[in-house]
């Protein structure tokens, strides 16, 4: 499963916002399957020939996961603090703080909104028998959808 960092390598990085988002936000939308690579107008320019196809290959087929509605997310960060992966793998999160920038996390706050950066780490997806859904259960705006 592709990460935001991997996807960013195939985006222009100009943050032109022609798609309505910065490149990092757009990468998050691609991971969440809310947008397609074709939604980036710059990738249709000749300098980026083949990037759309490369992104499709990187993203792979749609798999079970989660989606955060950026219109509903108020940036409270409750999903970050309730995430079972963060509590089990981030010392700062166990102390009630947000994960450090170097910590590998499921969610990260970017520009005041939660973005899924490493969905493959989600406890719900790793441990099929124990379906964790704390991020969605505690989200006060119901911005998180698990599928």
């Amino acid at each position: 499963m592709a990460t935001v960092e991997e996807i960013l390598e195939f985006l222009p990085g100009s943050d032109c916002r022609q798609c309505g988002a910065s490149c990092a936000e757009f990468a998050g939308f691609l991971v969440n399957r809310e947008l397609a690579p074709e939604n980036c107008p710059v990738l249709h320019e000749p300098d980026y020939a083949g990037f759309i196809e490369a992104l499709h290959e990187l993203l792979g087929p749609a798999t079970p996961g989660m989606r955060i509605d950026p219109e509903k997310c108020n940036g409270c960060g409750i999903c970050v603090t309730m995430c079972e992966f963060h509590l089990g793998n981030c010392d700062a999160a166990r102390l009630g703080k947000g994960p450090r920038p170097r910590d590998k996390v499921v969610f990260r706050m970017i520009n005041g909104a939660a973005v899924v950066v490493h969905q493959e780490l989600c406890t719900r997806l790793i441990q099929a028998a124990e379906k964790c859904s704390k991020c969605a259960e505690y989200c006060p705006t119901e911005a998180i959808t698990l599928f």
Side-chain angles (χ1 to χ4, degrees), residues 1-7 27-28 31-32 65-66 68 83 85-86 101-108 110 115-126:
M1 187 173 299
T3 65
V4 168
E5 289 84 7
E6 291 171 328
I7 291 172
V31 168
N32 294 335
M66 68 179 72
I68 300 176
C83 176
F85 179 83
H86 296 177
R102 70 173 191 263
D103 290 337
K104 198 168 184 178
V105 295
V106 177
F107 302 100
R108 190 167 299 285
I110 298 176
V115 175
V116 179
V117 291
H118 289 287
Q119 183 171 267
E120 75 279 7
L121 300 177
C122 175
T123 302
R124 185 177 70 91
L125 300 176
I126 295 171

Side-chain angles (χ1 to χ4, degrees), residues 22-95:
S22 68
C23 288
E25 293 166 335
F26 186 80
F29 291 140
L30 291 179
V31 168
N32 294 335
R33 306 285 180 166
E34 296 174 44
L35 292 175
E38 293 82 2
N39 295 118
C40 173
V42 178
L43 291 181
H44 294 278
E45 295 177 5
D47 289 346
Y48 297 97
F51 280 47
I52 289 175
E53 294 78 13
L55 283 167
H56 277 293
E57 187 173 319
L58 185 62
L59 290 167
T63 58
M66 68 179 72
R67 179 174 300 123
I68 300 176
D69 184 340
E71 298 295 321
K72 291 182 179 178
C73 180
N74 64 6
C76 68
I78 291 175
C79 56
V80 175
T81 59
M82 295 306 297
C83 176
E84 283 291 323
F85 179 83
H86 296 177
L87 293 173
N89 297 287
C90 304
D91 294 337
R94 279 194 292 274
L95 297 173

Side-chain angles (χ1 to χ4, degrees), residues 14-26:
S14 59
D15 290 334
C16 66
R17 296 192 178 268
Q18 291 183 46
C19 65
S22 68
C23 288
E25 293 166 335
F26 186 80

